[in-house]
Amino acid sequence: MDNTQENKELEQELDEKETAENPEELPAEEETADEGSADKKRIEELEKQLSDEKDKYLRVVAEYDNFRKRSVNDRLNAVTDAQARVITEILSVIDNFERAMNAECTDENYKKGVEMIFSQYNSILTKLGVTEIEALNCPFDPNVHHAVNQVEDENFGENTVCQVFQKGYRLGDKVIRCAMVAVANP
């Protein structure tokens, strides 16, 4: 045998003796490997739980944000709807004042008082953001006009509003009352 092979055999014998003298060393290495594997599994489980909880948290935050935005929109819509209902009631009074202004009256002071009240109502509507819907000589639009009559008239174009029976109004972009109209050449 050569020296290299003898050296290997001697080293192997020494290792076996050391292992025999210290039998606890070998199992300790195995336990450490098992503990490391168990720790890795535990870490993976905890990371998965953390990921799941983070996902739940993000979903709850998103739901809350959506709820908050919906609540703000609902409140704004409620205010706008309440304004629209009140203004709709006032519009009938304004219509009557307009009819009173068009009626013949011999008392100029009375007529002037009616015009002043009518002017005050119109300024209130303007402050609230209410605008009149254009109707006369405009193309008929079913979104803002309510046709109550059809007329054949060569003086007007096809599908054109030729007469307004009651004015229509908007509150911002929302139509609060459609204009009642007659449509020429439908």
Side-chain angles (χ1 to χ4, degrees):
M1 281 208 227
D2 64 346
N3 282 340
T4 311
Q5 194 174 10
E6 284 179 13
N7 287 343
K8 286 182 185 178
E9 287 176 4
L10 285 173
E11 285 177 16
Q12 191 175 10
E13 285 178 30
L14 285 173
D15 286 340
E16 288 174 8
K17 284 182 183 178
E18 286 178 10
T19 305
E21 291 173 6
N22 298 327
E24 299 163 359
E25 286 182 17
L26 186 60
E29 288 176 8
E30 289 175 7
E31 285 178 17
T32 306
D34 289 342
E35 285 178 13
S37 176
D39 287 344
K40 285 181 183 178
K41 287 181 183 178
R42 179 74 177 141
I43 289 171
E44 288 174 3
E45 288 174 13
L46 291 173
E47 285 177 345
K48 184 178 182 325
Q49 285 178 349
L50 177 64
S51 175
D52 291 344
E53 293 301 319
K54 184 178 179 181
D55 186 52
K56 287 179 187 176
Y57 170 76
L58 291 175
R59 289 177 190 272
V60 167
V61 167
E63 281 183 34
Y64 176 74
D65 190 45
N66 290 339
F67 169 75
R68 186 181 53 78
K69 289 176 183 176
R70 253 190 331 268
S71 295
V72 168
N73 284 339
D74 289 347
R75 277 184 262 146
L76 290 175
N77 288 338
V79 168
T80 303
D81 290 345
Q83 274 183 322
R85 278 186 260 129
V86 170
I87 291 169
T88 301
E89 295 298 320
I90 292 173
L91 290 177
S92 61
V93 175
I94 291 174
D95 291 340
N96 289 332
F97 270 106
E98 200 166 9
R99 288 184 198 103
M101 286 179 16
N102 292 333
E104 295 213 16
C105 181
T106 56
D107 188 356
E108 284 299 316
N109 288 332
Y110 179 78
K111 186 167 179 109
K112 186 176 179 183
V114 170
E115 288 172 353
M116 288 173 62
I117 294 171
F118 179 74
S119 175
Q120 283 179 322
Y121 270 116
N122 280 329
S123 67
I124 290 171
L125 291 180
T126 302
K127 287 178 188 175
L128 292 173
V130 177
T131 56
E132 185 180 329
I133 295 173
E134 290 290 321
L136 192 59
N137 296 324
C138 292
F140 176 74
D141 180 359
N143 296 317
V144 294
H145 301 134
H146 178 71
V148 293
N149 194 11
Q150 297 178 354
V151 179
E152 293 294 330
D153 191 343
E154 294 175 5
N155 296 327
F156 293 96
E158 186 176 313
N159 223 18
T160 303
V161 175
C162 63
Q163 187 177 7
V164 178
F165 299 111
Q166 187 178 51
K167 291 180 181 178
Y169 293 93
R170 295 176 198 252
L171 177 60
D173 292 334
K174 182 178 181 176
V175 175
I176 56 175
R177 184 173 84 180
C178 291
M180 273 203 269
V181 298
V183 180
N185 310 318

